[in-house]
Amino acid sequence: MSQLSYIRHGDIAVATVNNPPVNALSLGVRQGLMQAIEASRADKSVRALVIIGGGSTFVAGADINDFGKPYEEPSLYAIIDALMASPKPVIAAIHGTAFGGGLELALACQWRIASPDAQIGQPEVKLGLMPGGGGTQWWPRLAGPEVALAVTTSGNPVTARQAHEWGVIDRLAESKLLEDALAMAQDVLSGALPARRLAESTDKIRGVDPALFDEFRKKNARKWKDQLAPWKIVDCIEAACRLSFDEGFRLEKEAFRECEHSTQSRSLIHLFFAERAAGKLPDTDAAVRPAPVATVGVVGAGTMGAGIAMCFANAGLPVTLLDTSDEALARGMKIISGNYATSVSRGSLPQARADVALARIRTTTDDAALADADLIVEAVFEDMEIKQAVFRRLDAVAKPGAILATNTSTLDVDAIAGVTSRPGDVLGLHFFSPANVMRLLEVVRGPRTAPETLATAMAVARTLRKIAVVSGNAYGFIGNRILGAYGREADFLLEEGATPWQIDRVLTEFGFPMGLFAMRDMAGLDVIWRIRQQENLTRPAHLRYSTIADRICEMGRFGQKTGRGYYLYDGRSPTPDPEIEALIVDVSAELGITRKEIPDAEILQRLLCAMANEGARILEEGVALRAGDIDVVYVNGYGFPATRGGPMWWAHEAGLASIRDAVTAYHQVHGEYWTPSPLLTRAAEAGGDWDAAHIFSHPPTTTTGSASDA
Ligand code: NAD
């Protein structure tokens, strides 16, 4: 029993799980639990069993690496059966976290006691899975179907106090957990707590109106779209209210297996590991320590600067927001207070917390006010001269060792760093809009960025609860570079016969929350138009170039902000516009292209292959460290459906040889942009996986049932 100790406290046996760091339900733990249950059963002098976690937590979850593999006995199922059949009361004593299979282990015990600060939950849905150890059957019996639905379909953790109110936890520990658990066992033995069989309990599930489930499905239909797991969860909870425990559990097992073997689950598990790996810097010495960041400056109080200031204020850091005029600052503060007011009115933020956060932001037009800042983030206009001027000023006032970051979307971070006397302290922090909402942060490492600067930026990202992905200092970094590649392909598809609404429909049917053209309209077409005008000065003349986007801007159509872009807008809802279709048809005619109907499947294949091929180039150039990093960027910053794992994972699942063949065929028809990336070709030849040097970097043994601590 090396992963489990079994000792006696008088007539009560205590089984302590010891599988650091999170006491995951490994084979060794399962064997130990089974032996402990059997030993307590066989030993007449043992009258009750307490199961508790050693170290900082109860059993935090199943081992994610076990999903999709054949079950090795004793499985969790066998343990649950043994617990349910145990003639002696078993008490789960929970501290730290009890998630997923770990929680189900506790739910199968007759009684549960928890430290008040413990957390429980069924996070499986976040990995495309569902509770598989009876969770959908225990929860409605303990807390009623409404709570069961909310907890299991959201995957969010629940505090022990809340769970106690719901009746899922029977008692909160008042002093030492083990002592209180032993006392609880004595209460059970003395009859002070009545004997019970939860599987037979029907108080909370009797006479439930079936409409409850249909309404819940209807309410969430849009959110869940083509996801498998949440629908299955509702089916199983509904079954719990109709069937016996055993019948419901059987149904749950079948549904779990279906989820476990789904592409969705594989994709979400890939992302879980990819997000964890993204925060690690494989080429940085572990001895490099991040510098503390306690005060922050933000330069530019526009859309991005305002959101960035909120991020830091929300994380508890004082922020000094600088702009050129009091009017600009007032505009910025209006954006900020408006955002807080919206959160308060939606009920997602208490007024008091909004007030505290707002009070952390002070404004200034005086550079000297930034002298104390440990980190200064610049978010002024996207113009090299303006940014360089700002960095010269920052260099003059910032204290030694302060980190100077630019939020540029397209400019050369090194050219910005170059105007300072401290290029090692400069890097890019590319926030996404709205910065206070979007979790992605591209951390752009310039050629002279010091390892300490990078390490500090990654630590800052953790403070902000952002998912940081390191990018090399190359045009468009990771996300916008790929957006450029597939956006270009979408423009060519328009010239060849597609319409913006067809392409957008194909993308939303694939799972993007919004189509590409609707997204451009939302972001504003003029910003990127201005950037294109600059780029056009140096663009090689022989390369194919679509003028459609420029012509739309020349018509004064800048998207939602002007009520017209690719679409017509009434408020924010887009309507296809015949004027745009006519313009596109004209462009095709001018180019001598005979328009043809393009099947949806071809549109999707061309867009996704363009993403994957560009992604492979980005990897080859070392702009991204791992294929998984690209997926993390695309899912968290660009709406790529998480259930499909990101563009690189999509290609991997489709088979790299078939992607290479498709790219090669497009190259023959559509020319230079489609040159297959050498990495894609090599990877396809090497057996259909990305080059070993650019694997998805899944750690082999990381274990936890929680997707929320990624
Ligand atoms: P914006 O026009 O809304 O705001 C820019 C702000 O900078 C204005 O308040 C302006 O007064 C101020 N400013 C200009 N020059 C200044 C100076 N010399 N000193 C101090 N303040 C100055 O622009 P934005 O959309 O917030 O973009 C800012 C930066 O963020 C750009 O580099 C942009 O490329 C980048 N970015 C934008 C987005 C986006 O979606 N808007 C996303 C990621 C990155």
Side-chain angles (χ1 to χ4, degrees):
M1 287 196 194
S2 64
Q3 292 189 332
L4 189 128
S5 71
Y6 179 83
I7 52 167
R8 293 281 296 275
H9 286 253
D11 52 3
I12 299 166
V14 176
T16 307
V17 178
N18 291 311
N19 183 23
V22 294
N23 287 333
L25 274 177
S26 63
L27 178 62
V29 169
R30 298 198 305 272
Q31 284 167 337
L33 282 167
M34 203 58 164
Q35 285 165 19
I37 297 165
E38 277 163 10
S40 68
R41 185 187 192 141
D43 186 343
K44 284 201 180 65
S45 65
V46 170
R47 297 179 62 218
L49 173 67
V50 170
I51 299 177
I52 192 166
S56 59
T57 185
F58 189 71
V59 175
D63 187 333
I64 294 177
N65 293 295
D66 283 349
F67 292 134
K69 296 188 187 143
Y71 302 132
E72 255 186 283
E73 292 296 339
S75 65
L76 178 59
Y77 293 142
I79 293 167
I80 289 170
D81 287 346
L83 285 170
M84 287 174 65
S86 171
K88 301 187 181 167
V90 186
I91 291 113
I94 301 169
H95 71 303
T97 50
F99 287 149
L103 175 61
E104 285 163 321
L105 171 72
L107 295 178
C109 298
Q110 284 97 325
W111 303 95
R112 282 156 294 286
I113 182 167
S115 303
D117 58 352
Q119 289 199 319
I120 68 166
Q122 303 277 179
E124 295 90 341
V125 73
K126 296 189 176 177
L127 297 178
L129 296 166
M130 55 175 286
T136 62
Q137 306 302 301
W138 304 116
W139 273 92
R141 281 176 170 78
L142 286 162
E146 277 105 338
V147 168
L149 288 169
V151 170
T152 52
T153 61
S154 72
N156 293 333
V158 175
T159 61
R161 280 186 199 284
Q162 175 66 77
H164 180 240
E165 275 172 38
W166 285 334
V168 178
I169 298 294
D170 300 294
R171 198 177 270 187
L172 291 176
E174 282 167 10
S175 56
K176 292 216 168 82
L177 179 63
L178 180 57
E179 280 171 22
D180 286 359
L182 292 169
M184 188 173 182
Q186 292 299 351
D187 287 347
V188 174
L189 294 174
S190 70
L193 285 173
R196 64 176 185 183
R197 291 268 157 217
L198 180 60
E200 285 151 27
S201 135
T202 55
D203 315 353
K204 300 213 168 146
I205 51 175
R206 203 181 306 125
V208 173
D209 182 356
L212 170 81
F213 302 100
D214 287 336
E215 275 162 26
F216 195 73
R217 288 185 184 99
K218 219 180 286 162
K219 197 173 94 193
N220 290 289
R222 240 174 87 92
K223 189 162 92 193
W224 296 341
K225 271 211 273 195
D226 53 356
Q227 290 179 50
L228 183 63
W231 299 99
K232 293 275 173 201
I233 291 173
V234 181
D235 291 348
C236 289
I237 293 178
E238 186 174 21
C241 298
R242 278 190 291 113
L243 305 175
S244 71
F245 184 88
D246 287 348
E247 287 169 321
F249 198 4
R250 201 169 312 124
L251 211 78
E252 185 196 273
K253 285 178 190 164
E254 280 165 25
F256 177 81
R257 221 154 287 161
E258 206 179 314
C259 293
E260 191 186 16
H261 295 291
S262 67
T263 317
Q264 294 187 1
S265 175
R266 271 202 305 280
S267 302
L268 289 165
I269 290 175
H270 155 64
L271 280 172
F272 173 80
F273 285 124
E275 284 183 12
R276 293 183 142 207
K280 303 203 170 83
L281 301 171
D283 52 352
T284 299
D285 191 336
V288 173
R289 291 265 148 253
V293 170
T295 53
V296 177
V298 175
V299 183
T303 313
M304 292 308 290
I308 294 167
M310 287 178 74
C311 292
F312 287 104
N314 293 346
L317 298 176
V319 183
T320 304
L321 182 58
L322 180 140
D323 209 302
T324 47
S325 67
D326 289 337
E327 295 74 47
L329 288 168
R331 262 197 318 272
M333 288 309 291
K334 201 167 157 216
I335 302 177
I336 293 173
S337 45
N339 284 343
Y340 280 127
T342 308
S343 302
V344 170
S345 70
R346 282 195 190 139
S348 56
L349 184 72
Q351 182 71 54
R353 273 184 48 205
D355 293 344
V356 170
L358 195 59
R360 290 194 185 109
I361 304 172
R362 63 176 182 136
T363 57
T364 185
T365 53
D366 179 7
D367 291 356
L370 301 176
D372 286 341
D374 299 314
L375 163 69
I376 304 174
V377 184
E378 164 279 312
V380 305
F381 302 133
E382 185 75 349
D383 179 297
M384 182 56 93
E385 279 178 24
I386 297 178
K387 289 204 192 273
Q388 286 180 330
V390 167
F391 271 75
R392 280 192 197 96
R393 280 164 38 205
L394 294 180
D395 192 25
V397 294
K399 68 182 181 187
I403 291 181
L404 309 181
T406 171
N407 183 46
T408 181
S409 315
T410 53
L411 301 174
D412 177 357
V413 172
D414 195 42
I416 296 172
V419 301
T420 71
S421 61
R422 42 176 125 183
D425 297 343
V426 178
L427 87 175
L429 286 182
H430 186 216
F431 289 79
F432 287 71
S433 183
N436 53 312
V437 175
M438 297 289 283
R439 287 188 70 208
L440 180 66
L441 181 65
E442 278 182 326
V443 176
V444 184
R445 166 165 44 179
R448 288 181 279 177
T449 302
E452 291 77 14
T453 306
L454 190 63
T456 304
M458 299 305 275
V460 165
R462 282 193 291 278
T463 306
L464 300 183
R465 301 180 71 84
K466 300 267 182 211
I467 303 171
V469 174
V470 176
S471 168
N473 177 36
Y475 183 81
F477 312 131
I478 296 173
N480 284 341
R481 165 105 171 252
I482 293 182
L483 182 65
Y486 95 97
R488 185 172 57 221
E489 205 51 33
D491 291 338
F492 295 158
L493 282 161
L494 294 182
E495 292 177 349
E496 291 164 35
T499 60
W501 17 104
Q502 183 193 6
I503 293 175
D504 280 1
R505 179 180 49 72
V506 168
L507 288 169
T508 50
E509 282 174 6
F510 180 72
F512 279 87
M514 188 181 242
L516 174 72
F517 296 103
M519 188 179 84
R520 284 184 185 172
D521 276 354
M522 192 179 75
L525 304 179
D526 50 331
V527 182
I528 186 79
W529 182 36
R530 246 173 271 127
I531 294 170
R532 262 197 322 271
Q533 283 168 337
Q534 283 301 310
E535 288 168 4
N536 284 349
L537 302 174
T538 53
R539 181 169 46 82
H542 71 283
L543 283 175
R544 183 176 172 184
Y545 178 80
S546 173
T547 58
I548 294 171
D550 294 341
R551 300 210 1 203
I552 291 177
C553 288
E554 283 158 18
M555 293 158 83
R557 303 175 66 126
F558 295 156
Q560 279 189 22
K561 64 171 104 166
T562 55
R564 298 180 317 152
Y566 286 91
Y567 294 86
L568 283 175
Y569 288 88
D570 180 13
R572 284 166 154 213
S573 83
T575 314
D577 186 355
E579 201 182 332
I580 290 297
E581 195 156 349
L583 166 78
I584 294 169
V585 170
D586 282 352
V587 170
S588 305
E590 285 164 22
L591 293 168
I593 296 174
T594 308
R595 291 178 68 77
K596 62 180 171 59
E597 191 159 319
I598 306 180
D600 290 355
E602 183 184 331
I603 289 178
L604 186 65
Q605 177 83 354
R606 265 172 74 176
L607 296 182
L608 296 179
C609 284
M611 287 186 202
N613 196 37
E614 196 67 22
R617 287 198 190 114
I618 286 174
L619 273 176
E620 184 128 55
E621 293 165 20
V623 174
L625 293 168
R626 317 165 184 91
D629 285 6
I630 298 174
D631 291 335
V632 170
V633 167
Y634 252 71
V635 169
N636 292 289
Y638 295 82
F640 197 101
T643 47
R644 310 237 189 212
M648 306 307 275
W649 182 256
W650 169 84
H652 162 86
E653 286 267 306
L656 293 190
S658 79
I659 302 299
R660 181 234 10 229
D661 293 348
V663 169
T664 308
Y666 293 142
H667 183 214
Q668 277 155 13
V669 179
H670 301 292
E672 186 168 330
Y673 282 124
W674 278 103
T675 308
S677 139
L679 174 63
L680 172 61
T681 308
R682 271 203 318 276
E685 279 161 10
D689 205 340
W690 293 111
D691 187 316
H694 298 293
I695 53 166
F696 289 109
S697 297
H698 293 179
T701 55
T702 303
T703 55
T704 173
S706 162
S708 60
D709 65 346

